[in-house]
Amino acid sequence: MKADHFEQQKLLDLAAEDVALTQLAHRGRTLPEVAAVEAAEEAERTFSADVVRAETEARDLAREVKRLDSDVETVRQRETKDQRLLDSGSVSPKEMTNLQHELDSLKRRQADLEDQELELMERQEVADAALSAAQQGLATAREDRERAEQQRDDALADIADQTKRHQAARNEVAAGLSAPLLTLYDRIRTQTGTTGAALLKARSCQGCRIEFYGSQLAAVRNADPHDVLRCENCGRILVRSAESGL
Ligand SMILES: [Zn+2]
């Protein structure tokens, strides 16, 4: 294939834009800000589970306290009733003895229930503190996640903006190239994954860094300036310039 020597120079501008676009795409795929969001989301999920667990614990304890309160109340009512009966003097001596026994037993039961209630209240304090710590942790984790998301969005917006600018620059360069040369370039670019042309600098292909010697170098030297040359190693179009060392 032949193409104007000066048109071939433009392939280097195209390659520069493709390098920039490839780097931007890579940056987009490997953004540390994306990983930071994932880590923040994980922390938020952990704290969220902690809150649910602490809330359940606090609710269970509150229910337990309520049940004990009700038990204490029942015992108290029974005591009042027995005491009234005793005080009324309308019961037989045998019944009086039975009532006295029952009252003693009720008092022991009440003391026992009150002990249990005290212990529960201590556990409630611990549970409330745990809940409050989990809620605080969740709030902080949420803020961290939102901040991380903002940083990620800023980074992505920056990449999108730069990509747009490089894409526009590439389109402009591509518009100045003949269809066959551009088609060849794009085919090679698809194969290499980066660029379709490289500068021959100091007898080395800048695409793959291989240096030309002997007959290969002679072939490059003797080629017409308008010949489209390819690197035998990487397949890229070799663009010759004053720096080529020929
Ligand atoms: Zn090469």
Side-chain angles (χ1 to χ4, degrees):
M1 186 192 279
K2 278 189 184 288
D4 181 83
H5 178 69
F6 294 104
E7 193 188 342
Q8 289 188 41
Q9 304 296 310
K10 292 181 192 166
L11 293 177
L12 294 178
D13 297 334
L14 202 63
E17 295 305 334
D18 282 336
V19 166
L21 287 166
T22 306
Q23 283 169 349
L24 283 167
H26 179 260
R27 202 184 133 207
R29 283 193 304 271
T30 56
L31 266 188
E33 285 88 345
V34 170
V37 169
E38 281 163 10
E41 282 171 347
E42 180 60 34
E44 192 179 352
R45 272 196 295 275
T46 304
F47 276 112
S48 193
D50 286 352
V51 167
V52 170
R53 214 169 15 246
E55 277 173 349
T56 307
E57 168 84 357
R59 207 162 40 233
D60 288 351
L61 287 171
R63 198 180 297 130
E64 194 77 354
V65 167
K66 213 170 153 189
R67 192 181 61 78
L68 274 176
D69 275 346
S70 150
D71 286 356
V72 167
E73 186 51 33
T74 308
V75 170
R76 272 196 197 123
Q77 281 171 4
R78 189 71 187 265
E79 278 175 343
T80 310
K81 194 173 150 235
D82 286 1
Q83 195 61 53
R84 260 193 214 125
L85 259 175
L86 263 180
D87 295 346
S88 72
S90 64
V91 290
S92 68
K94 188 174 185 313
E95 279 174 320
M96 272 181 79
T97 311
N98 286 343
L99 276 172
Q100 197 56 60
H101 278 170
E102 190 176 287
L103 268 174
D104 290 346
S105 142
L106 283 170
K107 279 199 166 55
R108 279 197 302 276
R109 171 85 180 126
Q110 189 181 342
D112 183 42
L113 287 172
E114 281 167 356
D115 281 350
Q116 284 182 43
E117 215 172 4
L118 218 64
E119 190 204 317
L120 265 184
M121 280 156 84
E122 278 167 16
R123 282 173 59 196
Q124 260 186 322
E125 262 181 48
V126 174
D128 287 346
L131 176 58
S132 159
Q135 282 167 336
Q136 184 58 50
L138 179 59
T140 306
R142 210 164 257 163
E143 282 167 19
D144 288 349
R145 193 251 307 149
E146 281 166 3
R147 197 180 316 114
E149 279 176 347
Q150 187 59 56
Q151 284 166 351
R152 177 203 57 192
D153 292 347
D154 288 350
L156 287 174
D158 180 50
I159 289 171
D161 181 54
Q162 288 191 52
T163 300
K164 212 169 138 186
R165 282 194 291 115
H166 282 291
Q167 192 61 56
R170 187 191 195 276
N171 290 346
E172 209 181 308
V173 178
L177 294 171
S178 66
L181 188 61
L182 183 60
T183 304
L184 175 64
Y185 174 94
D186 280 335
R187 209 179 66 218
I188 300 166
R189 181 183 59 123
T190 307
Q191 286 161 2
T192 63
T194 51
T195 58
L199 175 66
L200 180 70
K201 188 178 178 184
R203 297 192 294 277
S204 292
C205 167
Q206 295 301 290
C208 65
R209 305 281 161 182
I210 202 158
E211 193 174 347
F212 287 77
Y213 296 103
S215 58
Q216 277 186 6
L217 181 62
V220 173
R221 248 179 203 149
N222 297 330
D224 184 273
H226 302 305
D227 280 339
V228 175
L229 302 182
R230 303 274 300 272
C231 170
E232 285 183 17
N233 187 50
C234 68
R236 287 183 176 87
I237 297 167
L238 276 177
V239 179
R240 286 157 290 170
S241 79
E243 296 175 88
S244 294
L246 297 173

